[in-house]
Every structure is written in C-alpha cells, then in structure tokens.
Amino acid sequence: MTHHPRPFGRLLTAMVTPFTPDGSLDLEGAARLAAYLVDEQRNDALVVSGTTGESPTTTDAEKDTLLRVVIDAVGDRATVVAGVGTNDTAHTIELAHAAEKAGAHGLLVVTPYYNKPPQAGVERHFRTVADAVGLPIMVYDIPHRAGTAIATETMCRIAEHERIVAVKDAKGDLVASSWVLRRTDLAYYSGDDAATLPLLSIGGVGLVGTSSHFTGVLAKELIEAYERGDTVTALARHRQALPLFTGIFRSPGTILVKAGLNALGLPAGPVRSPLVDGSDEELIQLRQDAAAAGIVL
C-alpha cells in the first residue's frame, strides 16, 4: 500500500482547548485560536482534542462541538484531525464515528493507556478502529504516557491497513523508528518538538507540536529547509527554537501553552482540574525560554 508521503502536511499543532473563566468551552476563542495557528503560525493542520487539548477532561459532546467549530473556522484551508483515542476500543470507535460525521479530515488514535494491553490487543485495537471508519488515521506512540509502546513488529503489521497512514512518534527511539520506516510507507511525524530534526534525518516528514503555538514559523522553516536540502538552515532553526521546544515541557505542555497564550492576549483561559494554572514563576521562566528562541511572550 502506497500512501501520500505527507498525508497531514508538514506542521501540525496539538491545539489547546480555550475555556472561559468559569471553565466552560470558549467556542469563539477556539475559532480565533485555530485561525491564529493556521494563518500566523503556518500550520498545515490542527489536532483537536489531543492530550494538549485536555481531552481527558472534556465530554464527548464538548469534543464534538469543538471539532465542528474548528472545522468551520479553518477547515477550508487546513486539515483538521480529531483526537479520538481512549483505552476502550468501543468508545474510541464512537468518538471516531462522531468525528467523521462532524467532517474531520483525519483521526489521531493513541495507544490504549493504563490498562496496558499486550501487543495482540494493541494491534487489534488499531485495526478495529481503522475498520470502523473511512478516515485516514495517525497512530500515536507515546509509551511514557500510555504505559505501552507499540512494538516494531506490531507497527509494521498495522501499517498494512489502508487507513493507517501515519505515526505521531513520541517513543524516543530513533532506531525503532528507523526500522519501521525501512519496512513500511508510514509517514512519521515527531511527537516531541525537539526531536523534529533528528526524525527528519531518518525519513520523518514533520511535527505534531506543542510549542508550535509559538514556534510554528521556526518549525515550518526548519522542516522546509531540510526538505530542500538546506541542512545548515534547518540546523540553525533547530538550535534557535530549542529553548522553547524543550522549555514548553518544564510543566505539562497544556499548562505552559495556556500561560503563554494568555500573556499574549490570545484565547486560552484556565486549565481544568487535575491540571493547575501556571504560576507567576513558571510564566517568567517560559518568557525567558521564549526570549532565548527569539520569541516575545
């Protein structure tokens, strides 16, 4: 099976979900933030209701409403990917059907977390979800959150499914990723901002970012420079963005992204419990990390 080499473009941001001060969805803010990410930060695509979007604490109805708002706002000029992954295959399929009905262009499906299925269960989960929908799927391999890695052999087997076309790779194992890239035509996107350039060097195609709420222009320039063979510029952009590529994860990324967006007067609002809003000290450090990357927050 041969897929498009970049099925979701080069740069995606896992968008935070803006809330009002009382903690409800800020739908007008979500539309504004989506437009900012596409029009000013140069994103080809947005992931809605990923972990950065606080998917563990939004209801299914909220996910559906949010997705529709983002599609209405930017779906004519950007790919909109719905995060539908859970640790329950049946629930994941329900969310996938809802996203497909809402008009999503693709799905992000994370490895089932907490219940730690064996590899046979991981494979069945992804195949069953892919069988149930007509949308292209990006598999999210993030063992430090999910508790289970997708083994190389498992990844190669699920790659045989025509709708499993890409991987958000947060495994931190370039050798394992290299083997999958050698044996499949899956499109690999870095799930760790700072690993974008190393992943490109072994055949990756882009980034699903968190700091890209602020570093989108730099990240896009990095990827485009590498693609045209300008490794000097790619390395320069990597080194420039590195303080914020990494600094955004001093605390859970959602917390610091929202702190930075609020500081810029962009839609974000508070986080939902059990997360806590960023402290004054964390915002000071974030601003220092951003300044080191040449970005003003």
Side-chain angles (χ1 to χ4, degrees):
M1 185 67 62
T2 301
H3 304 298
H4 189 284
R6 292 182 298 274
F8 301 105
R10 294 172 176 83
L11 176 65
L12 304 82
T13 290
M15 190 180 99
V16 298
T17 299
F19 296 129
T20 63
D22 68 3
S24 59
L25 287 183
D26 177 4
L27 297 177
E28 180 181 346
R32 285 177 53 212
L33 180 60
Y36 156 79
L37 290 171
V38 173
D39 300 334
E40 297 186 38
Q41 290 296 332
R42 298 191 62 200
N43 280 272
D44 302 308
L46 301 177
V47 175
V48 178
S49 294
T51 308
T52 305
E54 295 179 78
S55 59
T57 54
T58 56
T59 67
D60 290 3
E62 287 177 323
K63 289 178 174 66
D64 185 69
T65 301
L66 177 68
L67 177 61
R68 291 174 185 272
V69 165
V70 173
I71 291 170
D72 286 345
V74 299
D76 60 338
R77 58 191 188 279
T79 300
V80 181
V81 179
V84 299
T86 75
N87 61 349
D88 173 358
T89 304
H91 187 200
T92 300
I93 290 171
E94 289 175 5
L95 290 173
H97 283 157
E100 188 169 26
K101 184 176 180 181
H105 304 124
L107 304 174
L108 178 69
V109 183
V110 71
T111 315
Y113 43 82
Y114 188 71
N115 45 16
K116 297 184 74 171
Q119 290 299 308
V122 171
E123 179 179 351
R124 184 172 67 177
H125 175 80
F126 285 115
R127 285 186 176 275
T128 302
V129 174
D131 285 341
V133 295
L135 295 176
I137 290 173
M138 179 185 290
V139 169
Y140 189 6
D141 189 9
I142 182 165
H144 65 271
R145 278 187 182 266
T148 302
I150 304 174
T152 297
E153 292 300 325
T154 303
M155 192 73 84
C156 291
R157 285 194 295 268
I158 65 175
E160 296 170 0
H161 198 291
E162 62 180 351
R163 282 182 290 282
I164 296 177
V165 300
V167 178
K168 180 182 178 184
D169 183 17
K171 183 181 285 183
D173 186 343
L174 288 176
V175 174
S177 299
S178 294
W179 276 109
V180 176
L181 284 162
R182 183 179 190 269
R183 296 171 57 189
T184 76
D185 65 352
L186 288 171
Y188 260 63
Y189 293 83
S190 179
D192 177 352
D193 302 31
T196 304
L197 183 57
L199 189 68
L200 291 173
S201 76
I202 62 165
V205 300
L207 167 66
V208 182
T210 301
S211 74
S212 48
H213 284 83
F214 314 109
T215 62
V217 173
L218 285 176
K220 191 68 169 290
E221 289 177 352
L222 186 165
I223 297 164
E224 290 177 339
Y226 190 87
E227 279 200 346
R228 66 175 180 265
D230 184 359
T231 56
V232 172
T233 298
L235 182 57
R237 296 295 179 271
H238 166 78
R239 289 175 173 170
Q240 179 182 349
L242 195 59
L244 199 49
F245 275 175
T246 57
I248 203 72
F249 298 111
R250 291 180 187 272
S251 293
T254 303
I255 293 172
L256 295 184
V257 168
K258 284 197 164 183
L261 291 172
N262 285 326
L264 290 172
L266 290 166
V271 298
R272 284 183 176 175
S273 184
L275 296 182
V276 294
D277 292 323
S279 66
D280 291 341
E281 292 77 13
E282 286 175 316
L283 180 57
I284 289 169
Q285 180 64 63
L286 180 64
R287 282 175 161 152
Q288 291 173 351
D289 292 334
I295 293 169
V296 177
L297 293 184

